[in-house]
Amino acid sequence: MSRAEKSGRILAELVAGYGRTYAEEAGIRLKDTPQPLYRLLVLAVLLSARIRASVAVAAARALHESGLDTARRTAEADWQERVDALGRGGYRRYDERTATQLGDGAAVLAERWGGDLRRMRAEADGDVDALGRLLREVPGLGPAGADIFLREVQRVWPEVAPYLDGKALSGAERLGLPKDPGRLLDLAGDTEPAVLAAALVRAALDKEVTEDSLRRAA
């Protein structure tokens, strides 16, 4: 088996086992409409903290179930409502700070872009770097959070794709795969870039994902 064939097999096993976006895991049916885009933004804020991804996903679901699923509703909710919703999702270590950030971020989003991330997209005008800078203007969304959002939103915002950031490429390195985005995309074949990115990030974050994928590809 050639090196390219082996790499392709490893990547195929990774995607087969772990090719699920974080938006899907959080129950977000991602579309280019305000509510799911806002829910994705919140998920990116939650995932960017030093906390298990499963807890961040559960907290995103809890916020949605509490009706805090638009910028307007989140901004209008009082701080304790946001804290309580995060607590129901098990997001307790950073709940107070994050509740403040979500309120501030929702207010900025509502004031500057009318609560509609499509307006932010239009302002970036196809420039992914500019879009990243605009995202980082939202309180609670630093470079890591902006990368998370861009990795996931490329599914519905084609101009962002392919977006394989440093975290995704570190997953490729752990698997012994090329760290060149173009080569990874070639090896992945018809796999959507968003799905490929999510699978690689899971490998970067969890050595069991890496070990399982390598074992099944052997």
Side-chain angles (χ1 to χ4, degrees):
M1 184 185 301
S2 70
R3 184 168 183 173
E5 289 172 331
K6 183 177 180 180
S7 294
R9 186 164 177 173
I10 291 169
L11 202 50
E13 291 295 344
L14 173 72
V15 170
Y18 304 98
R20 187 182 187 199
T21 68
Y22 287 95
E24 287 175 323
E25 190 175 343
I28 302 170
R29 295 184 179 180
L30 195 56
K31 297 185 292 184
D32 187 27
T33 55
Q35 188 186 66
L37 290 172
Y38 177 71
R39 290 180 64 194
L40 177 61
L41 185 80
V42 169
L43 177 63
V45 171
L46 299 174
L47 284 167
S48 63
R50 293 181 179 276
I51 199 162
R52 291 196 312 275
S54 59
V55 174
V57 166
R61 285 182 174 272
L63 287 164
H64 173 60
E65 290 163 2
S66 300
L68 303 180
D69 51 9
T70 69
R72 179 182 60 79
R73 290 172 188 159
T74 303
E76 290 177 352
D78 65 37
W79 179 80
Q80 192 62 52
E81 286 181 75
R82 297 191 294 268
V83 170
D84 290 346
L86 289 167
R88 285 192 290 275
Y91 200 94
R92 295 187 177 87
R93 184 177 176 188
Y94 300 102
D95 55 350
E96 295 186 357
R97 185 184 73 181
T98 301
T100 298
Q101 290 175 335
L102 290 176
D104 292 345
V108 168
L109 186 60
E111 180 179 347
R112 180 157 179 190
W113 294 288
D116 188 346
L117 282 157
R118 295 175 302 178
R119 297 185 183 182
M120 180 190 289
R121 178 192 186 188
E123 184 175 332
D125 195 25
D127 184 333
V128 178
D129 289 338
L131 181 56
R133 288 193 295 271
L134 292 172
L135 285 165
R136 292 193 295 274
E137 291 183 22
V138 178
L141 204 69
D147 279 339
I148 293 166
F149 182 87
L150 292 170
R151 286 198 306 259
E152 298 271 324
V153 85
Q154 65 182 317
R155 199 166 210 177
V156 293
W157 289 358
E159 72 276 14
V160 175
Y163 196 86
L164 298 178
D165 66 328
K167 182 64 74 175
L169 296 180
S170 70
E173 185 175 34
R174 289 187 69 172
L175 288 158
L177 298 172
K179 287 187 67 178
D180 176 75
R183 290 183 64 191
L184 287 168
L185 289 162
D186 287 342
L187 288 169
D190 294 333
T191 301
E192 290 181 63
V195 171
L196 173 62
L200 288 170
V201 168
R202 292 178 191 279
L205 296 175
D206 188 344
K207 69 177 183 179
E208 290 185 8
V209 171
T210 302
E211 292 169 355
D212 181 55
S213 300
L214 292 172
R215 182 171 57 250
R216 288 190 287 115

